[in-house]
């Protein structure tokens, strides 16, 4: 795979949580304003993060380069589950955008509400729903063990 499409491994959990908090803020403003452009920005941000890591996404850059360094906290966690979670966010936000464009506006806001709940769990409670789904799929053999060896081997995990 090209380095252009590389995703960091490990990932600073605090940067991921700050990014999730920024997603929550943008999603709440989008919902309050009823903005299709906001939905587009949210979906584009998720796709940028899942494809390129934090190098291109404005929210991730703000989180990784500005906010998180000021917190001075680092907790390294495996990258593949976080990338999977970004993929789930991309799918959900794209679904909300597609519903909005198709004229199913109440359904779009309901799907955005699901995204707000999931991102809030990550941002405020440190509970990554996408990471839990990743682990579930990996334990069932749907995601190969070698995708995230640190997820399976406690000795490879960093504190």
């Amino acid at each position: 795979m090209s380095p252009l499409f590389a995703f960091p491994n490990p990932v600073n959990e605090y940067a991921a949580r700050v990014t999730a908090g920024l997603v929550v803020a943008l999603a709440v403003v989008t919902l309050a304003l009823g903005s299709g452009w906001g939905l587009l920005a949210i979906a584009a941000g998720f796709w940028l993060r899942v494809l390129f890591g934090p190098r291109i996404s404005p929210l991730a850059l703000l989180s990784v380069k500005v906010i998180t360094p000021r917190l001075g906290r680092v907790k390294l966690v495996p990258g593949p589950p976080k990338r999977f979670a970004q993929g789930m966010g991309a799918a959900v936000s794209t679904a909300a955008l597609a519903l909005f464009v198709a004229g199913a506006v109440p359904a779009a806001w309901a799907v955005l509400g699901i995204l707000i709940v999931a991102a809030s769990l990550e941002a405020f409670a440190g509970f990554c729903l996408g990471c839990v789904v990743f682990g579930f799929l990996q334990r069932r053999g749907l995601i190969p063990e070698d995708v995230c060896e640190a997820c399976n081997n406690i000795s490879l995990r960093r504190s």
Side-chain angles (χ1 to χ4, degrees), residues 17 26 42 46 59 65-66 71 83 93 113-114 123:
R17 290 180 69 178
L26 180 57
I42 292 166
F46 272 111
L59 292 184
K65 301 289 185 187
V66 179
L71 298 175
R83 187 176 210 174
S93 59
I114 292 167

Side-chain angles (χ1 to χ4, degrees), residues 5-157:
F5 294 108
F7 194 87
N9 187 24
V11 172
N12 182 352
E13 181 178 336
Y14 294 106
R17 290 180 69 178
V18 168
T19 302
L22 294 171
V23 167
V24 170
L26 180 57
V28 167
V29 169
T30 295
L31 187 60
L33 297 176
S35 171
W37 291 109
L39 286 173
L40 179 62
I42 292 166
F46 272 111
W47 283 108
L48 289 173
R49 287 188 296 282
V50 78
L51 291 172
F52 306 106
R55 294 184 311 276
I56 298 175
S57 163
L59 292 184
L61 285 169
L62 178 61
S63 169
V64 170
K65 301 289 185 187
V66 179
I67 299 171
T68 304
R70 285 178 170 70
L71 298 175
R73 299 182 74 187
V74 175
K75 179 180 178 187
L76 298 178
V77 296
K82 294 295 185 186
R83 187 176 210 174
F84 183 85
Q86 291 298 316
M88 286 181 58
V92 171
S93 59
T94 301
L97 178 60
L99 288 165
F100 184 86
V101 169
V105 177
W109 300 140
V111 171
L112 184 62
I114 292 167
L115 181 75
I116 290 170
V117 169
S120 293
L121 286 169
E122 169 80 15
F124 307 118
F127 180 82
C128 176
L129 183 60
C131 299
V132 170
V133 172
F134 180 93
F136 175 83
L137 294 173
Q138 192 170 39
R139 285 189 300 278
R140 272 137 193 90
L142 297 170
I143 296 176
E145 288 184 11
D146 64 346
V147 169
C148 183
E149 204 168 313
C151 298
N152 296 311
N153 186 343
I154 194 89
S155 67
L156 296 177
R157 294 183 188 171

